[in-house]
Amino acid sequence: MTIKYDKPSKELLCGIRALAGIQKCEILEKPVFFTEEKLWLLKVRLLTEKTSDFIPSATTWCVLIHEAYPLGTIEIYPDKIDGITVTFPHQERNEEGKENIPWRTGKICVDSPIRSLGLLRQNPDPTGDADMRLCWYIERSLAWLSSATRNELVQVGDPFELPQYPILKSPLQLRVVHDEGRESYVKWLSSNTRIGEVIFESFLTDKTLIAVEFNDFKGNLIRKASFREEWKKEGKQREKRTGIWWRWDSPAVLDPWEVPTTWRDLRFVGRKLSVNVDEMLRIIARKIRGKKEQVLLLGYPIPLLKGKIACEMHWRAISIPYLEKESRPPNGFRSNERGWWYRDRTTVFANDEKIYYIMTHNLHPDRLQARGRIAQALREMHTLIIGVGSLGSVITELLVRGGIKNVILLDHDVLTAGNIVRHVLTFRDLEDNKAKALRDRLLTVNPFVNIVAHEKRFPNTKEAVEKLLGEVDLIIDCTASEGVIEELSLGWWPIPKIFVSLSLGFKGRRLFVFINNGHRFPAEEFKKSLHPWIHKEEKVMSDQGETLEGPGCWSPIFPARYDDVMLAAASAIKVIEEVAEKRNITSQLIVYEQEDDNKGFKGFRRVG
């Protein structure tokens, strides 16, 4: 850290002078410049009319202003000497921080839409306004302080906010994942057990563990994870290890909103919530003594919204050190369980010993797909994708990321170097079967999807076609092969199925989507509707000196850039989603085409 006492820019001086108009803000000293961070530090004292157990009437704050003011960032942190020392909602964990800087780590959130501070959309950060921008941040900081003193930073109906956890280095350099949701919470409600054994399996690497099974100490099953069976079907052998789960009835949080960082903190929270922490730690010690370093899942129920009924179990993993059995207990205690526990209570679980939290993630689909998912009707469909080349691989990935639950991939081909320019697979998958390589990749994207990969061609007999498609609701053909179209038409099913055939035109400038809902695939109708467009494609290719090998042929010489494939695939997903929701559709060919004018690219429009 290097400090320079340079003169601030005229814009920053303008912003600082404007603070004189805010009565509850006092500038304590001239701004100083931190060269490595490229920011100015301005110390201010903020005053509040009301106080609380955690906030006095005057507190000191460090305002960190980017050198590009009135552009760049502005962040507000408590001062190390006269700032607040606790953590509130809408605040980063408020720790001491680095020795050579004067501010703590607890940055307050003043630039997000917090109801208690007013709707951000109606009063946005005035970026670029030297007169107003610094004042805007200070005024919102005063509003934040006022709400904090009244315990109103989070109001009933706001999204429930979990406290921020510290991640300390421990010998167990692990990551833990689980899949808690509304369905599993019902199972927890039906159990009175507060502690038991959890079984973990490795996921992707030995350093990531998935909680796959929760039992009581008698071996009775409480719940299983929903992603374990799919891996078993694929014959994957994964390393297993056991740990301990410990369930509380309320959040294990210190006031105002801070996780315990020492065993003293946890004991304090336990007394407040009528949890005998030492009694439970003694049970845990008895179960894990003599075993290698263990993972403890500490959990409690949480709601989706503040003040609403809980609907999900929240877990946070903790690393518990190896508890020796052979070493001597303290003087005056025998070498038995009581003596060992007394030793553990004064060493590993001593009041001042830190709690080592492990990075923990909830992979439940409601969490994974909270930022966007396909319609439920499409998610629930058992889907077969024929051909996972360029277009088929992108279609599959979009469906899997969107939350589809059951997919069958069918492709006999292997990945070659020429495929990679427009395929979701990489050089790591060279010479591997496309269907199997794509399955393995997408299981790392969505561990809940049940993907079955077949390394074979589409069958060419009526019996085989009907058997393959027997349990399938949706068939997506991405082969652009007339042979597959003929073979699809061989079957007949008593329950209608949705058929979607996708192919691209020259350079990916057109997308052809044929849809049908029926007892069989209408091959002749498909050909009749598509052939006029094929003639157009032939003319375009002939004019440019190309030879047509087939509509949408996926040999490496067929030109279509990956961005064009992505554009077509995204459009196709919209159609497929609409078809899945309506179900009762008539056979039709939908054609999309890239549109340009003298200003350039305009988009993808429907032309047929």
Side-chain angles (χ1 to χ4, degrees), residues 283-542:
I283 293 173
I284 293 170
R286 188 184 307 131
K287 293 291 182 180
I288 69 175
R289 190 176 310 287
K291 299 179 181 180
K292 62 182 180 180
E293 193 168 358
Q294 294 287 298
V295 174
L296 165 67
L297 288 182
L298 181 65
Y300 47 81
I302 60 173
L304 184 62
L305 301 174
K306 170 76 173 178
K308 303 301 181 180
I309 298 174
C311 59
E312 178 186 311
M313 277 297 298
H314 168 70
W315 296 109
R316 198 70 191 195
I318 296 173
S319 172
I320 303 294
Y322 172 70
L323 303 181
E324 295 186 16
K325 185 174 183 180
E326 290 78 14
S327 61
R328 292 172 56 84
N331 290 334
F333 286 84
R334 296 182 180 181
S335 185
N336 55 20
E337 193 275 331
R338 182 183 178 190
W340 294 328
W341 162 245
Y342 186 80
R343 180 199 60 209
D344 299 335
R345 176 62 177 79
T346 55
T347 54
V348 173
F349 299 118
N351 277 337
D352 292 331
E353 286 295 312
K354 292 185 179 298
I355 296 176
Y356 288 90
Y357 291 102
I358 299 171
M359 190 67 73
T360 312
H361 301 279
N362 187 352
L363 298 189
H364 190 277
D366 289 343
R367 294 287 186 180
L368 280 180
Q369 297 148 18
R371 299 184 182 186
R373 55 167 53 171
I374 56 179
Q376 184 175 356
L378 181 53
R379 294 200 307 270
E380 299 293 335
M381 283 190 169
H382 284 64
T383 300
L384 168 67
I385 300 179
I386 310 168
V388 288
S390 180
L391 182 59
S393 67
V394 178
I395 290 288
T396 306
E397 178 161 336
L398 291 175
L399 289 173
V400 169
R401 288 185 182 275
I404 200 163
K405 296 180 179 179
N406 294 280
V407 184
I408 300 173
L409 308 180
L410 184 68
D411 200 314
H412 72 284
D413 203 4
V414 298
L415 188 75
T416 65
N419 298 136
I420 296 201
V421 70
R422 58 188 188 197
H423 203 286
V424 301
L425 297 176
T426 69
F427 281 112
R428 292 181 179 179
D429 307 302
L430 276 180
E431 305 305 323
D432 290 341
N433 173 256
K434 291 178 182 177
K436 291 186 175 180
L438 185 61
R439 173 204 59 196
D440 293 343
R441 178 180 183 276
L442 293 181
L443 280 173
T444 69
V445 171
N446 181 354
F448 295 93
V449 63
N450 179 24
I451 307 181
V452 177
H454 291 308
E455 185 180 356
K456 61 183 181 181
R457 296 178 183 273
F458 192 77
N460 55 15
T461 66
K462 182 177 185 297
E463 294 76 12
V465 171
E466 290 179 345
K467 180 179 180 181
L468 176 64
L469 274 60
E471 302 299 322
V472 173
D473 305 307
L474 169 64
I475 300 96
I476 303 175
D477 165 43
C478 298
T479 62
S481 165
E482 290 197 15
V484 170
I485 294 300
E486 293 291 347
E487 291 158 354
L488 264 176
S489 68
L490 295 175
W492 188 93
W493 298 268
I495 299 177
K497 299 181 182 297
I498 294 178
F499 299 90
V500 179
S501 181
L502 305 171
S503 57
L504 294 181
F506 181 63
K507 291 188 176 181
R509 292 190 60 83
R510 287 194 183 113
L511 167 69
F512 304 105
V513 186
F514 182 82
I515 58 176
N516 172 262
N517 183 25
H519 299 282
R520 68 166 65 247
F521 183 79
E524 293 305 316
E525 184 179 346
F526 168 84
K527 293 177 192 177
K528 183 179 179 180
S529 59
L530 190 63
H531 279 180
W533 290 97
I534 293 178
H535 295 321
K536 292 182 181 182
E537 293 294 321
E538 288 175 333
K539 185 177 186 310
V540 172
M541 295 185 73
S542 177

Side-chain angles (χ1 to χ4, degrees), residues 21-87:
I22 302 178
Q23 293 183 351
K24 297 179 183 179
C25 173
E26 300 176 5
I27 298 174
L28 298 180
E29 56 189 46
K30 293 182 179 180
V32 295
F33 188 68
F34 287 72
T35 56
E36 285 85 357
E37 290 83 359
K38 296 184 178 181
L39 55 83
W40 290 92
L41 165 63
L42 179 68
K43 282 197 176 187
V44 299
R45 178 181 290 120
L46 301 182
L47 309 176
T48 56
E49 294 179 358
K50 294 185 177 181
T51 63
S52 71
D53 292 340
F54 306 109
I55 299 179
S57 59
T59 51
T60 301
W61 296 82
C62 295
V63 185
L64 305 185
I65 309 165
H66 194 275
E67 64 176 353
Y69 183 88
L71 304 175
T73 59
I74 297 177
E75 298 177 337
I76 318 290
Y77 293 85
D79 180 67
K80 279 188 177 178
I81 299 176
D82 296 317
I84 63 173
T85 58
V86 296
T87 305

